[in-house]
Amino acid sequence: MDTFSIILLAIFFVGFVGIAFEHKFKVNKSWLALFMGTIMWMAVAFGQTKAQLHGPLSDSFAEIFELVIFLMGAMTIVEMLGHFRFFTWVEVRLMKFNISNRKLFWILGLITFFASALLDNLTSTLVMIHIGRYLYIKKQNFNIFVINTVIAANAGGAMSPVGDVTTIMLWLADKFTAWQIVLYGFLPSIVAWIVPQAILTAKIEYEDRIGRDLKNGLPTQWGLIIIGFSTFGVAVLINMLHLPPFFGILFGLGIIAIVIDVKFKRGKLKEKAGDIVNLVKKIDMATIYFFVGILLAVDALKYAGTLDIMAQSIFGSDILNNPGALITGHTSLGLLSSFFDNVPLTAAAIKMLPDGIHFIYWILLAITAGTGGSILIIGSAAGVAAMGQVDTLTFNDYFKKGSLPALLGYIAAVGTWYLMFILLGF
């Protein structure tokens, strides 16, 4: 690794430490992430021409634009679901069953796991965090719930062709079929969720919800709620038109806003319910800035070739004749994704590995790249979004409570894949 790559990694590490200890430094993580991302690109741009930077910057900005617009649209729709009391309705229905705190914890984890496979891990995390705000009273329980949500969402997304950006990339690159990732990825993925879930369950404390007022507020608007959830499905289906998911989110958001305005004009909504503009104002822009800073930093490492160098050092040479090195490489790449975005790491693996590799090895990469990001909260889009949405969930809090369970789940998932590999005779 050259000196310049080491300098970039050093800047990334300093920023990483600042984000980890934001409460001690009394500096918001979003501003630290922005500073880290921009200064890394300044270092990259030093000595470069405008023509040399134009292409990489355009690619980076395009990726950031897609994620930011998707996140803004998804956050607006989630705010709308809360505005029309969907999450309160969920709370009332669940509480009628008199479910214990720990059973509720498992039910929500299971919902998150399968929701992320049908939608995606980022959207599922945003929705479940809002549900958790209504269901959990104690900060300790809510933080554990959010940690488990990130782990469950990443695990569920890893077993679906549309559940994570990396699985979409591998699927579109013809590394496996949709049925192959679901069939062979299910067991490792569910193990990656169940092991941490079982460990974290012991940390859930008793909560007394008697006397909580759930009746005040706006009436539940089921038509608008159904449109809102359908929007996330459209974001998945829009891929068939070779358009990015944010087109589906914007399409659905436009429909919802028009329907609300029409209902309001006809007098079918109260004045408070019809003011959708205020929902947009509720979006947490600090989360958006945090996303932008992290993505800029990772893209700077990608442009400098640092990630490619790391991937090459992991896999070595003569992969086709050395399956053990391929297994070790994919496992190491997953661990690396806890520090760095799994998207460029997966892209580097797709580009550098030769053709002719059996699909079962690519499924291992989908599992490791998808679930390895759960080991640290900055290792996945779901984790970054959760950290931005929940002020009480710091890097250190996640590290102390969630990193070890996630790591054990990761090891168990790789072990499950290996047993399948042996038993099925691949």
Side-chain angles (χ1 to χ4, degrees):
M1 190 174 294
D2 58 21
T3 304
F4 184 63
S5 293
I6 294 174
I7 293 173
L8 284 180
L9 285 174
I11 297 173
F12 186 87
F13 177 75
V14 171
F16 175 86
V17 171
I19 291 170
F21 295 97
E22 61 165 331
H23 280 54
K24 289 188 177 182
F25 296 144
K26 304 298 182 183
V27 180
N28 188 282
K29 59 182 173 289
S30 299
W31 320 137
L32 291 170
L34 282 178
F35 178 77
M36 175 179 67
T38 50
I39 199 170
M40 286 177 70
W41 267 107
M42 290 177 187
V44 168
F46 188 77
Q48 301 284 308
T49 65
K50 184 177 180 180
Q52 289 174 317
L53 288 171
H54 177 73
L57 279 175
S58 297
D59 292 340
S60 178
F61 293 158
E63 179 188 355
I64 291 172
F65 175 82
E66 287 185 19
L67 282 174
V68 166
I69 295 299
F70 180 92
L71 191 61
M72 290 179 67
M75 290 169 70
T76 302
I77 293 171
V78 169
E79 288 288 347
M80 183 275 296
L81 294 174
H83 185 63
F84 291 111
R85 293 177 57 78
F86 170 74
F87 302 122
T88 303
W89 177 86
V90 171
E91 179 184 12
V92 172
R93 291 300 178 273
L94 287 173
M95 291 308 101
K96 282 185 176 180
F97 291 106
N98 196 25
I99 302 171
S100 68
N101 291 337
R102 294 186 176 181
K103 286 182 180 178
L104 178 65
F105 188 60
W106 276 92
I107 290 171
L108 295 175
L110 186 66
I111 292 172
T112 305
F113 179 83
F114 284 105
S116 64
L118 295 172
L119 302 173
D120 65 81
N121 49 8
L122 177 57
T123 301
S124 301
T125 300
L126 291 173
V127 172
M128 295 307 294
I129 285 175
H130 276 261
I131 290 176
R133 289 189 195 279
Y134 287 82
L135 292 173
Y136 289 100
I137 302 169
K138 294 183 178 180
K139 183 184 76 172
Q140 165 76 4
N141 283 351
F142 180 61
N143 282 1
I144 294 296
F145 162 77
V146 175
I147 290 170
N148 190 65
T149 295
V150 172
I151 294 171
N154 286 336
M159 59 159 262
S160 167
V162 294
D164 187 87
V165 177
T166 53
T167 57
I168 293 174
M169 290 168 57
L170 291 165
W171 178 41
L172 295 180
D174 295 322
K175 301 305 180 182
F176 46 64
T177 66
W179 286 112
Q180 284 171 340
I181 183 61
V182 173
L183 182 61
Y184 295 100
F186 176 74
L187 278 179
S189 292
I190 203 166
V191 167
W193 160 59
I194 286 179
V195 171
Q197 171 95 34
I199 297 171
L200 292 170
T201 300
K203 299 179 183 294
I204 294 294
E205 301 173 356
Y206 173 77
E207 291 187 354
D208 184 5
R209 295 182 177 84
I210 296 174
R212 294 191 70 186
D213 184 11
L214 302 173
K215 295 181 180 179
N216 295 328
L218 298 168
T220 307
Q221 295 285 331
W222 281 108
L224 295 172
I225 290 170
I226 291 171
I227 295 174
F229 276 110
S230 299
T231 297
F232 296 123
V234 173
V236 174
L237 295 175
I238 204 76
N239 184 62
M240 297 174 65
L241 298 176
H242 309 293
L243 293 172
F246 77 84
F247 272 90
I249 291 290
L250 294 181
F251 173 73
L253 186 58
I255 291 177
I256 293 173
I258 291 171
V259 171
I260 288 176
D261 283 350
V262 171
K263 279 179 168 285
F264 178 65
K265 186 177 181 181
R266 292 179 178 179
K268 294 182 178 180
L269 285 179
K270 295 180 180 179
E271 183 175 354
K272 183 181 178 182
D275 196 0
I276 192 172
V277 175
N278 284 331
L279 297 183
V280 180
K281 294 178 181 178
K282 291 183 179 180
I283 293 176
D284 184 4
M285 287 304 299
T287 301
I288 305 293
Y289 286 131
F290 187 49
F291 247 104
V292 171
I294 294 293
L295 290 174
L296 280 174
V298 173
D299 283 344
L301 291 172
K302 180 181 177 182
Y303 173 70
T306 306
L307 297 183
D308 288 331
I309 294 171
M310 296 168 73
Q312 289 172 6
S313 63
I314 287 173
F315 287 104
S317 59
D318 197 22
I319 293 296
L320 289 176
N321 296 318
N322 191 358
L326 194 59
I327 295 172
T328 303
H330 284 332
T331 304
S332 301
L333 203 67
L335 293 172
L336 200 61
S337 70
S338 64
F339 292 91
F340 305 100
D341 185 12
N342 56 6
V343 173
L345 290 173
T346 302
I350 291 173
K351 291 177 182 178
M352 69 169 291
L353 294 179
D355 295 330
I357 294 175
H358 198 278
F359 76 85
I360 198 69
Y361 294 104
W362 290 110
I363 287 175
L364 174 61
L365 179 59
I367 299 300
T368 56
T371 62
S374 300
I375 298 172
L376 295 176
I377 196 169
I378 65 167
S380 66
V384 172
M387 192 177 181
Q389 288 277 293
V390 183
D391 292 336
T392 56
L393 182 61
T394 64
F395 178 92
N396 286 339
D397 194 40
Y398 187 97
F399 181 77
K400 291 176 182 178
K401 298 171 183 175
S403 290
L404 181 58
L407 177 60
L408 294 175
Y410 178 84
I411 294 171
V414 174
T416 302
W417 176 90
Y418 188 72
L419 285 176
M420 291 174 54
F421 178 81
I422 298 297
L423 294 174
L424 297 175
F426 286 109

